[in-house]
Amino acid sequence: MKKAIEDLPLQKFISMHPYILGYFAPLVKQFLSKTITLGEWIRSLTDDDFEEVGMDRGQTVNYLQFLIRYFEERGKRTSVKTITVIGGTNKFGEPENVVFHVSAGEIICIVGPTGSGKSQLLADIECIADGDTPTGRKVLLNGQAADTTLRFSTENKLVAQISQNMNFVIDMTVWEFLTMHAQSRMVAQPSETVENMMVCANDLVGEKFSPDMPVTRLSGGQSRALMIADTALLSDSPVILIDEIENAGVDRQKALSLLMKEEKIVFMSTHDPLLAFLGSRRLVIQNGGIAKIIEASAKERDNLSRLQNMDVFMMQLRTRLRRGDSIDEKLYFSL
Amino acid sequence: MKLITIAGPPSAGKTSVILRAAEHLSAKNRKIGILKFDALATADHLLYQKAGLPVQYGLSGGLCPDHYFISNIETGFLWGVQQQFDYLISESAGLCNRCSPYITGFLAISVVDSLSGAHTPKKTGPMLKFADIVVITKSDIVSQAEREVFAFHVRLANPIAMILFVNGITGQGAFGLSKCIEQAPESIAISGETMRFTMPSSLCTYCTGETSIGEQFCRGNLRKMRIAE
């Protein structure tokens, strides 16, 4: 294996693994001739060339093999069909006495006062707790405990997060940024995926945005929409934690159906009744523990459709405001 | 005792990350000591003291912080042994991207800030490339997409490191880091060990106090910038 990659022509090697250029980035100016093999090129560099950029010649070939294997294996991850949470204790040490399973395409809501322990539950799920976090909860994937590498390593992350506090900080246009993200995920046809994400994201917001807009100039709603579309279509994390997206100016229902359609397992911390009723169940958190689990009842579902009408009503008003209309007629709405 | 060397650019969140991880280690009744290396001034030792962690700190002043670190690490190590710590954590600021305070056989952790930009990992030298663990901070305020892109670039810069996201404020991810710290190799002495990478060097007139500008004042190990045509 070691011999094989060293004997490859440099140009061929790079076209097979274009991301490798990122590893060689500091040495790139040294690509003198493209007809030589990888091994010849490495040998043509001096120890000083490597030291100058803070790299070690001896590691290079091993590191390249490691990277190639790493990205190959990343694509082969087994899918998560169910998550099981086995209760631990609340902050008084009282047992939670709960076990629940969540399947792909399901939304679970988490409700409770500020400081009650919602974030700890999300953190337990995020680190696939194994009875070793402060709550003593256990989280199983497909019915089994996860191994340590899966638990803590970042790129195997099972969990993607979307929260109100998140922003784009990178100095790039929407198109450039999405393309960069698609490339980092080794997507075969980045432009197709990016196109798709643009359509999805614009479908979630009132005010459309173009791909040449800098990501840092997107409005709060547009940013959130882009994050949701990107997470749904590009992130391979099967689990999504959503922390308070109520006032984001995003069509929240459409956003959630998009995530469900992509077979994500969604945990959503919320105080918004509309969102809470959209979930199949909700966990009530008190004193650091899961105090009870409420199944969405037929009556609640009935209320959901009323709340949806109310939501549509508010959205229409928003659209009119944005258009510059006066809203001076007597507003009338009944559930 | 397990010595863990932690380095990262200023304001990346090194102290917060250490404090959050130390909470998990202390909860298991482990004894932790801190060595804080800084350049001109530091108040971080107060944070460690407040958290009940014994701390020693040193300021490099007019010297290269990296050289200061390596010439004092043995003294710090001996203090740790004498205090019978389970873990001795050294924190040093990487003021230039060329810093490399890691020692072969001792756990090396680099802390980088996800706000520093997607291209920062490839511009960062041994401080990132030779670490065993790369901790990415402040990722709660950037989008999931940016986090993934940033981690990807860290992976390319350091193919074999374990990459962890740790939130220095809420402590999210610190538990995972504490588990990794528990796996750090045990050691009884540091004398005779070697660094993973050479330190940045310079030996010129400016090292010895020269302040004037001009060709006639530049002597010693210097390098001239080339202006492109």
Side-chain angles (χ1 to χ4, degrees), chain A residues 281-320:
Chain A
R281 278 172 286 174
R282 60 183 187 273
L283 310 175
V284 182
I285 312 290
Q286 278 161 8
N287 299 321
I290 302 169
K292 60 179 166 180
I293 302 178
I294 300 176
E295 298 276 340
S297 66
K299 282 182 182 163
E300 277 193 345
R301 289 203 190 285
D302 195 35
N303 282 332
L304 175 62
S305 65
R306 290 153 187 256
L307 287 175
Q308 282 167 334
N309 292 338
M310 199 161 132
D311 200 43
V312 170
F313 179 76
M314 291 298 287
M315 281 222 276
Q316 282 164 348
L317 289 180
R318 246 178 247 137
T319 310
R320 286 176 58 196

Side-chain angles (χ1 to χ4, degrees), chain B:
Chain B
M1 187 178 70
K2 294 167 190 274
L3 170 69
I4 294 104
T5 55
I6 300 193
S11 305
K14 295 178 294 297
T15 306
S16 301
V17 165
I18 294 170
L19 285 168
R20 299 290 89 78
E23 285 166 11
H24 291 282
L25 298 170
S26 302
K28 293 185 176 172
N29 293 320
R30 300 282 169 226
K31 244 185 121 183
I32 305 148
I34 308 284
L35 287 176
K36 166 79 192 186
F37 293 91
D38 220 319
L40 296 177
T42 187
D44 291 344
H45 58 287
L46 300 175
L47 295 171
Y48 289 119
Q49 280 166 2
K50 203 172 152 196
L53 300 172
V55 54
Q56 297 286 345
Y57 71 100
L59 301 175
S60 55
L63 299 178
C64 164
D66 244 10
H67 291 227
Y68 178 78
F69 163 83
I70 206 69
S71 48
N72 283 287
I73 190 68
E74 188 180 15
T75 313
F77 189 90
L78 295 173
W79 168 69
V81 171
Q82 183 225 331
Q83 296 290 314
Q84 298 183 316
F85 293 136
D86 297 300
Y87 300 97
L88 177 64
I89 301 178
S90 87
E91 180 197 337
S92 56
L95 300 173
C96 68
N97 287 338
R98 177 62 177 71
C99 285
S100 51
Y102 305 134
I103 305 162
T104 308
F106 295 81
L107 184 66
I109 302 177
S110 178
V111 178
V112 288
D113 177 345
S114 52
L115 296 177
S116 63
H119 296 294
T120 301
K122 68 178 137 193
K123 289 191 289 193
T124 311
M127 182 165 72
L128 179 68
K129 294 190 170 108
F130 285 76
D132 302 308
I133 298 176
V134 178
V135 169
I136 303 175
T137 57
K138 303 181 200 175
S139 57
D140 55 319
I141 44 181
V142 302
S143 63
Q144 175 73 26
E146 264 172 285
R147 231 179 301 166
E148 290 179 9
V149 165
F150 193 80
F152 174 71
H153 285 103
V154 170
R155 170 61 60 218
L156 288 177
N158 184 336
I160 58 164
M162 176 149 198
I163 303 174
L164 299 171
F165 287 117
V166 178
N167 182 330
I169 299 188
T170 64
Q172 199 171 349
F175 174 72
L177 178 61
S178 76
K179 290 295 242 187
C180 297
I181 291 176
E182 285 173 10
Q183 307 295 317
E186 194 78 38
S187 50
I188 49 166
I190 195 166
S191 184
E193 301 293 346
T194 53
M195 289 184 290
R196 298 189 183 190
F197 202 77
T198 57
M199 296 252 157
S201 70
S202 187
L203 199 62
C204 66
T205 39
Y206 296 104
C207 293
T208 57
E210 180 63 75
T211 55
S212 305
I213 299 162
E215 201 62 51
Q216 67 269 39
F217 304 107
C218 306
R219 296 272 183 283
N221 181 12
L222 290 164
R223 181 184 302 189
K224 291 297 189 188
M225 148 180 199
R226 236 177 300 164
I227 300 295
E229 295 291 311

Side-chain angles (χ1 to χ4, degrees), chain A residues 321-333:
Chain A
L321 271 179
R322 208 177 272 131
R323 235 177 12 219
D325 292 0
S326 299
I327 305 176
D328 46 11
E329 79 276 17
K330 189 166 182 178
L331 289 177
Y332 180 76
F333 180 78

Side-chain angles (χ1 to χ4, degrees), chain A residues 19 22-23 25-26 51-56 59 63 66-67 70-71 74 123 126-127 132-133 151-155 157 159-161 163 165-170 172 177 180-181 183-186 227 230-231 235 237, chain B residues 24 98 114-115 117-119 122 124-126 129-130 134 136 139-149 151-153 155-165 172-173 175-177 179-180 196-199 223:
Chain A
Y19 56 89
Y23 172 71
E51 189 165 331
E52 269 307 287
V53 294
M55 290 166 73
D56 185 308
Q59 293 170 337
Y63 275 18
F66 189 92
L67 275 178
Y70 180 86
F71 286 119
R74 190 176 73 169
E126 200 208 6
C127 77
D132 49 6
T133 65
R151 287 187 64 190
F152 301 126
S153 105
T154 291
E155 293 122 299
K157 268 274 173 272
V159 174
Q161 271 179 297
S163 90
N165 302 329
M166 286 177 184
N167 288 297
F168 288 111
V169 295
I170 204 163
M172 281 186 177
F177 176 66
M180 192 184 202
H181 190 205
Q183 282 165 346
S184 81
R185 303 243 34 115
M186 317 280 163
M227 287 176 201
D230 175 283
T231 306
S235 169
S237 301
Chain B
H24 291 282
R98 177 62 177 71
S114 52
L115 296 177
H119 296 294
K122 68 178 137 193
T124 311
K129 294 190 170 108
F130 285 76
V134 178
I136 303 175
S139 57
D140 55 319
I141 44 181
V142 302
S143 63
Q144 175 73 26
E146 264 172 285
R147 231 179 301 166
E148 290 179 9
V149 165
F152 174 71
H153 285 103
R155 170 61 60 218
L156 288 177
N158 184 336
I160 58 164
M162 176 149 198
I163 303 174
L164 299 171
F165 287 117
Q172 199 171 349
F175 174 72
L177 178 61
K179 290 295 242 187
C180 297
R196 298 189 183 190
F197 202 77
T198 57
M199 296 252 157
R223 181 184 302 189

